[in-house]
Amino acid sequence: MYKKASKNEEKQDRNLKILVYLMLMFFFFGVIVSRLFYLQVIQFEENFNRSENNRLRQVILRAERGFVFDRKGRILVRNRPSYQVVLQSMSLPKKKEERDSVFVRLLKIHDLEGKFLFDSLSLDTAFQRANWIRNRPIQILEDATSEEIALIEERSSDLPGVSVLIESRREYPYGTLLAHVLGYTGEISEDQLQEEAYKNYSQGDRIGQKGLEFEYDEEFRGIDGLKVIEVNAAGREVGVIEGMSKEPVAGMHLITTIDLEVQKIAEQAFPDSVKGAAVAIDPRTGEIIAMVSSPRMDPNIFSLRKRDRNKEWAKVALDSTRPLTNRAVAGAYPPASVFKLVTAGAGLEHELIRENTHFSKSCTGGFQFGARYQKCWSSHGNLNVLHALRISCDVFFYQAGLLIDMPRINEFGERFGLGSKPLGVDIPGERVGWLPDSVSFNERNHRTGWRWTRGLILNLAIGQGQLVTPLQQAVFIGSLATNQGVYRPHFMKEIQTVDAKLVKKYEPIKIREGHMKPETHELLLKAMDMVVNHPGGTGKRGAVPGVRVGAKTGSGEWKKGEKTHAWYASVAPLDNPEIAVAVIMEASGGGGAVAAPVAQKIMQKYFDEANKEKETQ
Amino acid sequence: MNIQRKLLDTKLKIDWLLIILTFLLMSCGIVLVYSATQNSSDVFYKTYWFRQIIYFIVGSFAAAIISLIKIDYFKRLAFPMYFLSLAGLVFILFSGGDLVKGATRWIDLGFFKIQPSEFAKLAYLIVYSHWLAKHPVSFFNLKSFAVPTILFLVPFALVLRQPDLSTALVFIAISLSCFYWVGLTTLDMFLLISPFLSVLLSISKFAYSQFFWGFLICLVTLTLFYRKLPKLVTSVFFLANVFAGYVSSMVWALLKPHQQKRVETFLDPMNDPLGDGYQVLQSMTAIGSGGTYGKGFGAGSQTNLSFLPEEHTDFIFSVLGEQFGFLGSLLILILFFLFLWRALSISKLYEEPFVNLMVVSVTSVFFFHIIVNIAMTLGLMPVTGLPLPFLSYGGSFAIASVVMVGFLLAMRYQGGNR
C-alpha cells in the first residue's frame, strides 16, 4: 500500500526527480547540438553551395488529363503539348540595369516576318509582377509556336530568368463533332473555388466546365505530382533532389458509348444552318450511340491563346442561335404528332379504344368542338387507330383525347420516360419535359390567369402544348418498342486507367417500369411499322432496306406563318429493337419530309457498321 | 504600505538571473524577427518587430504585476480562470473564429487577435498544480486520477477540435510533468508512456522495430513485477502495450495507402515534398549554410529564407542558424538551457507542493516548446507548428511566455510565505 513518505525521503525523492529532469534536458539539448553541428559544420559546404549557387525550386508536375474514346476505342479527345515562355523571378538578375537589359532584349525579338513576340505593355506588367511573385513562373508568351520557341532558345544565354515550360492542352481532333457532349475545360473560377465540391482544387487548375469534361472531371484530372529541382544562377535545372519527388498520376480514360462512324454521319446529315438535335440510343441499355446539336461550336477555342480564346468565346457566347446549348438534352420542344403514340397507347391500354374503334365524326379536314373549329392537315375520312397513326390524322385523336382524358394519357407517357422527371443522363444541363393536365396547367399558369379548359385536350392529344427533349423522345420511342423498361440514357461505357485497366464499368439502370399489355404493344408496333412501310405512311423516307423500321413523324406548330418544327422518331428493327433515333429540326417543315432522311442516314450507317462487324467475326 | 513592505522585505528573493536571461532572449527574438521580415515586400510585415516589442512590454508589465500576487490568490483564482479559458475555447469553436489555414484558433478583437488556447495553457497549469498539490495521484489509488483526467480531457478535446494538435500536446506535457512530481515514480512514468512507444515501434518502418518492441514488452513486464502495482493496473498496462503493438499494426494494415501516407508524412516530413517536407528541407539548408559563424545579420535571407513562409514564426530558428551560424545557435541554446535550469531550480527552494508544481509545469511548457520547435527546424521531428518561446513572432504566445516567467518570479518571490 501507498505509504506516506517522511520529510527526508520526500526531499530525496524530489532531488532525484530534478536530476532525472535535468538528464532529460541534457539528452535533448545534446541531440539538438549534435544535429546542429552535423548540419552547420560537417555538412556546411554542401548546404552552403545549395543555398548560394544553386537554388531549390518546386515544380508542379501536372497530371495528364484522361482521354475520351468512342465505343470502339477511337480517340475523341486527347491532349497536345503547348509551350509557354515564362519569367522565373528567382533567376532574374537582381540588379536593375541587368534586369532592364533582359527586358529590352526580349522586346527586340521578332520572327522572320518582322512581327515582335512581345509588346512592351504586357511585358512590363509581367516584370512588375516578378518583383513580388517569387515562387511561381509568370507567363509572358502563351501557347508559343515552335518557331517562337526556337527564337527564345537560341538567345537563352542572354536571357537569364526566362525559360520555356511545356504543358498539355486539350485537343478535340474532330472539332465540332460531338462538341456539346464532350464539353470543354477552363480555368476554375473564383465562385467554383468557394464551393464544397471543389475543395480539392486550387487556383489555376483547369477543370471540365461543360459536358463529359465536367461530369467526369474527377476521373480525368489525375493527381498532380511535384519535384524539387536545383537550378543554377541562370534558372536552368541542374538536378533533382532525390526522394522529394512525387510522380503525377495520369487521369483516367473514358470509353463512351458513342460510335464515331455513326456520329460522323449524323453530323453530316444534320445541316449546320438548321437549329435542332438528333439522338440515337440503344433502348435495351440506354447507351447513347450518337448525339448532335446544331448549331455547333468548336471546343478547341478553349485551348487557344488567351486573346484569341476570349475573342472566340465572345463570338459563341453572344451568338443569338446559342451554339453553346446542347439542344439534345437542354432543348424542350412540343412533341407534336409523335405524341399520338401516347394517346393511342393510353386508349388501348385502358381499352377505351380498340383496333377496330371508329369514332362518330370522320375527318373532313377539321373538327367542331363547341364554338371552336380545330383543323386537321387534310381530310382523311373515318379511320381506325392504326391508320390514324399512319397518316397522323388529328380528328381521330381529338376524339380519342376527349374520351381518354389527360391523366391516363400522361401516365402512359411517363411510363416510357416522358414528363418532368429527369432521365439522369451523365452530362450536365439536362432539361425536363412537361406533360400538363388540368392541375399542373393551372399551377404553371397561375400568374397569367390562364385556366384549364376541356378544349385544351384537343391540342394536347396531338402533342401541342407539352414539352419533351429530343433525348426523351428517343428514349420514349425506344422503350415503347422494346416494352422492356426504360433505361437511363448514358455516355459512360467504361472508365480505364492509362494502362487500360478497368476501373468502372457501366451497368444499365432501369429508371421506369416501361411496360404495357402485349396487345397494346403489338398494335403500336404495327402502327409504327405502317408509318414507314405502308405506301400511305408519313415516314416512308425513314425506311432502311433490309431492316424493319418503325417510326412516327411530327410537325410541331410553334408560330403562325413559320414552318413547323420537324420531328421524326424511329426505332429498328421492330421485332428486336437495337437503336432508337429522334430528330428535331426547328422551323424546317414536315417531319416526314425533312427530319426522316436524317434519321434514315443515321440508322443506315448503324446497320452498315453492325453488318460489317458481323462479317469480320 | 503593505505592498511596499513586502517589496522591501523580499527584495533579495528577486531572481535577477532569470530576468536577465528572459530579457536577453527577448532581445534576440526581436533582432531575429526584424531580420526575418525586413526583406519582405509586404509593408505590414515590416512592422512585426515593432509589434513584437509592444507585446513583450505588455507581457513584462503583466509579469511584474503577477509576480507580486500572493500565492493564495493563484489558488483561489485557479478554477475561475480555468472555466473562463474553457469558455474562450468553446467560444471560438462555435463562433467559427478566424480561419487561418483551415483551423480556427483566433478571436479577432480588431487591434489584436487573441489565441485563447495560449491562455488556456496558463489557466490549465495553474488549475492542475492547485488540484494535484492537494490530491496527489497514485497507481495504488486509481480514483485519484478521476478529477485530473476530466480537467485534462475538456481543454484537450477543445483544442484538438480546432484543430491544433501541437498545442493539445502541450497539455499532455503539463499533465505528465505534474503527475511525475506528485506521486508517480520514474518507473511509473515509463509505464505511462510505454503504450505510445509500442504504437510508434509497431508502425515504424525501422528494420529491427519488432525486436525493439519485444524488448520494450520485456522491460514493461519487469517493471510491473518490480513495482507490484494493483492487479488491475498491472494487467491494464501489460495489455495496453501488447494491444497497442498488435492492434496498431493491424489497423495500420487496414488503412488506405493515402492514410498511411498522411501518418508517415507527419512522422517524417520528408515524405511530403508538396508541403511540410519542402519547408523542412529549406530550413535545414538555411541552417546548414550558416556554417560555424553564420552569414551575418540580415544576410542570406534574400536567397534562401524567402522560401520559408513561416520564417518569422515557427521557423525563426532557421533565421538564427543561417545568420549567426553554429556559434550563435549554440549561444541561444545555452541561454535556453540556463533559463530552464534556473527555472527548475526554484523547486529546490521550497517544499510547498503547489509552488513546486507550478515551477515544474511552467518549465515543462517551455522545455516542450523549445525542443519540439528546434527539432522541427532541424528535420528531427514532425512539423507541428509550435512556436519558439521569446524568439517566434506572435502576440498571444509572446505575452503568454512572459506571463509564465511572471509565474516563476511569483513562485520564487513568495514561495516561502504561507
Side-chain angles (χ1 to χ4, degrees):
Chain A
M1 277 304 294
Y2 182 67
K3 268 188 295 178
K4 193 117 185 130
S6 74
K7 269 236 153 106
N8 205 20
E9 271 179 65
E10 219 172 67
K11 185 154 191 171
Q12 261 186 0
D13 184 44
R14 218 167 57 214
N15 284 342
L16 175 77
K17 283 177 177 173
I18 291 178
L19 193 70
V20 170
Y21 205 110
L22 279 174
M23 273 160 54
L24 256 177
M25 272 165 54
F26 261 113
F27 172 73
F28 280 111
F29 274 81
V31 168
I32 282 177
V33 169
S34 45
R35 177 74 170 179
L36 269 175
F37 187 78
Y38 173 73
L39 284 177
Q40 299 192 302
V41 180
I42 297 174
Q43 273 202 331
F44 166 66
E45 209 128 320
E46 204 178 317
N47 280 321
F48 186 79
N49 288 339
R50 189 175 278 174
S51 84
E52 283 300 301
N53 306 328
N54 300 303
R55 298 142 214 228
L56 299 182
R57 192 163 298 153
Q58 276 177 305
V59 180
I60 292 177
L61 305 170
R62 291 275 177 204
E64 191 170 12
R65 208 172 160 80
F67 293 5
V68 182
F69 296 91
D70 88 334
R71 64 189 304 134
K72 288 175 188 145
R74 291 169 290 216
I75 283 193
L76 295 173
V77 184
R78 62 181 173 216
N79 301 319
R80 66 172 168 86
S82 163
Y83 298 91
Q84 326 295 325
V85 181
V86 296
L87 291 182
Q88 304 272 15
S89 57
M90 301 296 291
S91 320
L92 277 172
K94 299 257 154 10
K95 286 196 192 123
K96 194 169 181 313
E97 308 87 69
E98 287 176 35
R99 232 174 221 253
D100 287 348
S101 69
V102 173
F103 180 78
V104 171
R105 273 182 220 131
L106 280 173
L107 270 189
K108 280 184 185 155
I109 301 176
H110 58 80
D111 60 16
L112 292 174
E113 289 143 31
K115 200 172 130 268
F116 290 99
L117 261 57
F118 304 97
D119 68 284
S120 62
L121 187 70
S122 49
L123 196 59
D124 188 50
T125 319
F127 269 78
Q128 293 289 340
R129 289 179 66 203
N131 283 331
W132 50 278
I133 298 176
R134 325 216 74 229
N135 51 356
R136 63 189 160 91
I138 296 151
Q139 186 173 283
I140 52 175
L141 190 63
E142 192 189 353
D143 203 15
T145 62
S146 51
E147 189 198 353
E148 288 164 335
I149 294 304
L151 289 168
I152 298 285
E153 287 290 350
E154 63 199 28
R155 290 168 178 78
S156 64
S157 54
D158 289 341
L159 298 170
V162 178
S163 56
V164 176
L165 301 180
I166 308 177
E167 60 177 46
S168 86
R169 291 207 172 182
R170 223 43 174 162
E171 189 175 48
Y172 304 85
Y174 298 100
T176 60
L177 180 125
L178 203 65
H180 294 96
V181 171
L182 298 174
Y184 51 85
T185 63
E187 203 163 292
I188 189 165
S189 72
E190 287 294 324
D191 293 344
Q192 283 170 327
L193 275 173
Q194 304 294 323
E195 285 170 37
E196 176 67 17
Y198 292 100
K199 64 177 178 349
N200 292 330
Y201 294 67
S202 53
Q203 206 168 4
D205 281 359
R206 283 187 82 78
I207 60 164
Q209 297 285 21
K210 280 275 168 69
L212 293 171
E213 295 271 25
F214 174 90
E215 191 76 24
Y216 295 102
D217 194 64
E218 283 286 305
E219 283 80 6
F220 285 140
R221 68 190 293 238
I223 305 163
D224 285 347
L226 185 117
K227 61 176 178 176
V228 178
I229 56 166
E230 286 189 43
V231 291
N232 62 17
R236 317 237 157 242
E237 183 176 336
V238 293
V240 180
I241 304 288
E242 288 299 321
M244 295 286 291
S245 300
K246 204 179 112 189
E247 285 298 314
V249 181
M252 288 180 262
H253 292 335
L254 172 68
I255 318 296
T256 61
T257 56
I258 294 290
D259 187 312
L260 179 61
E261 293 304 319
V262 178
Q263 178 72 23
K264 273 185 187 162
I265 293 296
E267 299 272 0
Q268 280 167 20
F270 206 105
D272 202 32
S273 57
V274 175
K275 286 183 268 179
V279 183
I281 69 162
D282 183 338
R284 297 167 296 180
T285 54
E287 291 184 354
I288 298 172
I289 297 159
M291 183 180 272
V292 178
S293 172
S294 173
R296 281 157 265 220
M297 46 88 66
D298 185 352
N300 283 310
I301 61 172
F302 296 98
S303 303
L304 295 175
R305 286 184 188 184
K306 197 170 182 183
R307 199 176 298 164
D308 303 330
R309 188 164 73 216
N310 290 345
K311 211 159 66 192
E312 294 294 324
W313 164 250
K315 219 189 273 172
V316 291
L318 298 175
D319 193 331
S320 64
T321 62
R322 295 193 296 145
L324 287 171
T325 308
N326 183 358
R327 288 174 155 79
V329 298
Y333 303 90
S337 302
V338 180
F339 195 76
K340 286 172 185 164
L341 284 172
V342 182
T343 310
L348 293 166
E349 190 73 354
H350 292 278
E351 293 175 9
L352 294 168
I353 48 178
R354 288 167 206 282
E355 187 177 352
N356 50 11
T357 302
H358 291 266
F359 284 105
S360 55
K361 302 246 170 70
S362 48
C363 175
T364 54
F367 176 70
Q368 190 71 36
F369 181 74
R372 219 158 103 200
Y373 187 70
Q374 288 278 104
K375 281 203 285 188
C376 184
W377 62 280
S378 180
S379 37
H380 303 109
N382 202 328
L383 304 168
N384 70 357
V385 63
L386 289 176
H387 289 280
L389 280 171
R390 169 181 65 82
I391 204 80
S392 202
C393 173
D394 292 347
V395 173
F396 178 91
F397 286 100
Y398 293 149
Q399 298 172 81
L402 289 170
L403 178 70
I404 303 160
D405 207 359
M406 290 327 287
R408 291 197 195 98
I409 296 175
N410 291 347
E411 185 273 327
F412 190 80
E414 277 158 9
R415 273 193 224 174
F416 296 96
L418 300 182
S420 54
K421 247 163 82 184
L423 295 168
V425 64
D426 51 351
I427 50 173
E430 186 193 349
R431 263 186 78 176
V432 295
W434 186 45
L435 299 180
D437 56 20
S438 58
V439 178
S440 69
F441 183 88
N442 288 342
E443 220 167 78
R444 186 144 166 167
N445 292 311
H446 73 102
R447 278 216 197 131
T448 54
W450 298 344
R451 306 301 296 170
W452 173 264
T453 65
R454 244 177 96 71
L456 284 167
I457 295 175
L458 301 188
N459 288 336
L460 294 171
I462 59 161
Q464 299 289 354
Q466 298 93 330
L467 291 174
V468 301
T469 64
L471 180 64
Q472 271 185 321
Q473 200 82 295
V475 167
F476 162 71
I477 192 120
S479 53
L480 203 65
T482 59
N483 200 21
Q484 301 285 334
V486 180
Y487 288 88
R488 173 179 174 242
H490 62 272
F491 293 100
M492 191 258 265
K493 193 173 163 67
E494 277 171 18
I495 286 178
Q496 295 185 349
T497 59
V498 191
D499 36 5
K501 261 195 241 126
L502 189 69
V503 179
K504 215 190 297 180
K505 196 177 166 71
Y506 188 93
E507 295 294 338
I509 302 167
K510 202 181 209 176
I511 51 172
R512 311 271 193 281
E513 210 34 61
H515 190 76
M516 60 190 143
K517 292 178 190 160
E519 306 84 67
T520 315
H521 183 223
E522 200 182 314
L523 275 180
L524 287 181
L525 287 184
K526 208 163 165 188
M528 286 195 271
D529 181 50
M530 282 163 73
V531 170
V532 181
N533 302 318
H534 191 279
T538 51
K540 281 175 296 201
R541 295 186 197 196
V544 176
V547 185
R548 202 171 150 231
V549 180
K552 182 71 194 81
T553 58
S555 307
E557 283 169 26
W558 58 287
K559 205 173 181 185
K560 269 224 155 63
E562 296 278 350
K563 279 188 184 172
T564 53
H565 289 335
W567 265 118
Y568 193 76
S570 60
V571 58
L574 269 182
D575 19 80
N576 182 22
E578 288 173 26
I579 179 170
V581 178
V583 176
I584 170 107
M585 298 167 88
E586 293 182 23
S588 299
V594 191
V598 176
Q600 194 274 339
K601 281 179 195 146
I602 294 173
M603 284 213 168
Q604 181 77 61
K605 186 69 190 176
Y606 173 83
F607 288 108
D608 286 353
E609 288 289 303
N611 288 337
K612 226 190 280 170
E613 208 166 300
K614 252 181 236 156
E615 275 165 31
T616 50
Q617 270 171 12
Chain B
M1 272 307 279
N2 197 17
I3 290 174
Q4 210 182 359
R5 229 179 84 85
K6 267 193 197 163
L7 272 171
L8 286 172
D9 235 20
T10 48
K11 201 161 192 176
L12 286 175
K13 286 191 185 170
I14 293 181
D15 195 341
W16 288 111
L17 181 57
L18 196 65
I19 295 176
I20 290 170
L21 284 170
T22 307
F23 274 98
L24 276 175
L25 284 167
M26 288 197 293
S27 318
C28 293
I30 290 162
V31 169
L32 289 175
V33 169
Y34 177 85
S35 111
T37 51
Q38 278 322 285
N39 287 314
S40 167
S41 50
D42 190 338
V43 185
F44 186 64
Y45 266 40
K46 292 191 180 177
T47 64
Y48 274 12
W49 66 277
F50 187 71
R51 294 161 72 96
Q52 185 79 338
I53 291 180
I54 296 193
Y55 297 143
F56 280 147
I57 290 173
V58 171
S60 303
F61 271 107
I65 294 166
I66 285 167
S67 65
L68 296 174
I69 295 174
K70 275 190 172 178
I71 286 184
D72 267 355
Y73 281 98
F74 277 103
K75 294 181 184 170
R76 243 183 260 172
L77 287 173
F79 275 100
M81 292 294 286
Y82 175 74
F83 288 117
L84 194 68
S85 73
L86 289 190
L89 291 177
V90 171
F91 177 75
I92 47 168
L93 199 64
F94 286 104
S95 71
D98 198 9
L99 199 75
V100 175
K101 287 190 224 146
T104 48
R105 299 177 185 173
W106 283 269
I107 298 176
D108 200 343
L109 296 182
F111 62 97
F112 183 67
K113 280 183 187 171
I114 290 186
Q115 200 177 348
S117 56
E118 290 300 340
F119 297 102
K121 267 188 241 173
L122 305 188
Y124 180 70
L125 64 88
I126 297 175
V127 85
Y128 235 59
S129 306
H130 178 49
W131 180 268
L132 288 176
K134 281 198 221 148
H135 314 275
V137 290
S138 163
F139 281 141
F140 292 98
N141 177 15
L142 282 183
K143 277 183 200 151
S144 64
F145 281 100
V147 176
T149 307
I150 293 167
L151 288 178
F152 163 73
L153 278 180
V154 179
F156 180 76
L158 286 171
V159 172
L160 209 56
R161 186 79 180 73
Q162 288 182 358
D164 186 353
L165 176 65
S166 45
T167 306
L169 290 177
V170 176
F171 285 87
I172 295 185
I174 294 172
S175 314
L176 286 182
S177 56
C178 286
F179 288 161
Y180 183 44
W181 209 256
V182 283
L184 298 194
T185 66
T186 314
L187 289 177
D188 290 343
M189 293 306 289
F190 168 68
L191 290 177
L192 208 52
I193 58 168
S194 58
F196 300 101
L197 294 178
S198 283
V199 171
L200 270 185
L201 280 177
S202 65
I203 63 169
S204 81
K205 283 183 182 169
F206 180 49
Y208 298 105
S209 60
Q210 287 295 319
F211 170 75
F212 276 99
W213 183 61
F215 186 65
L216 179 75
I217 294 288
C218 291
L219 270 185
V220 168
T221 316
L222 278 176
T223 314
L224 286 170
F225 267 112
Y226 176 77
R227 278 292 289 156
K228 295 197 178 65
L229 293 171
K231 279 196 187 97
L232 178 66
V233 182
T234 307
S235 41
V236 163
F237 274 121
F238 184 75
L239 289 176
N241 272 289
V242 176
F243 199 67
Y246 273 115
V247 169
S248 59
S249 56
M250 261 153 57
V251 170
W252 182 251
L254 283 177
L255 288 180
K256 303 221 169 73
H258 73 270
Q259 290 169 320
Q260 289 187 354
K261 183 95 185 159
R262 202 174 300 164
V263 177
E264 278 172 9
T265 301
F266 179 72
L267 295 176
D268 180 10
M270 291 310 180
N271 267 326
D272 178 25
L274 272 164
D276 293 345
Y278 183 71
Q279 266 190 37
V280 171
L281 185 75
Q282 291 298 339
S283 164
M284 282 162 56
T285 307
I287 292 172
S289 70
T292 312
Y293 306 104
K295 295 178 183 171
F297 174 62
S301 51
Q302 179 72 39
T303 53
N304 220 316
L305 289 177
S306 45
F307 278 112
L308 284 173
E310 306 286 343
E311 56 186 328
H312 59 285
T313 58
D314 295 348
F315 282 93
I316 194 83
F317 194 82
S318 359
V319 180
L320 172 75
E322 184 178 27
Q323 303 192 357
F324 300 99
F326 181 64
L327 292 181
S329 313
L330 197 62
L331 181 73
I332 294 285
L333 284 174
I334 290 171
L335 287 181
F336 271 133
F337 191 86
L338 285 177
F339 176 87
L340 291 176
W341 172 70
R342 185 69 185 172
L344 192 64
S345 67
I346 298 172
S347 63
K348 275 189 180 171
L349 298 175
Y350 310 109
E351 275 164 23
E352 155 104 48
F354 176 73
V355 173
N356 283 343
L357 280 168
M358 283 290 285
V359 167
V360 168
S361 50
V362 168
T363 312
S364 301
V365 172
F366 280 127
F367 184 39
F368 191 72
H369 270 271
I370 292 167
I371 294 302
V372 171
N373 177 282
I374 298 180
M376 168 187 80
T377 61
L378 296 175
L380 291 173
M381 267 199 198
V383 175
T384 48
L386 272 191
L388 189 56
F390 309 117
L391 301 191
S392 285
Y393 172 81
S396 295
F397 181 66
I399 293 173
S401 303
V402 189
V403 164
M404 282 195 286
V405 177
F407 288 171
L408 291 173
L409 291 176
M411 295 306 128
R412 187 179 173 90
Y413 185 50
Q414 322 202 3
N417 307 347
R418 292 270 172 136

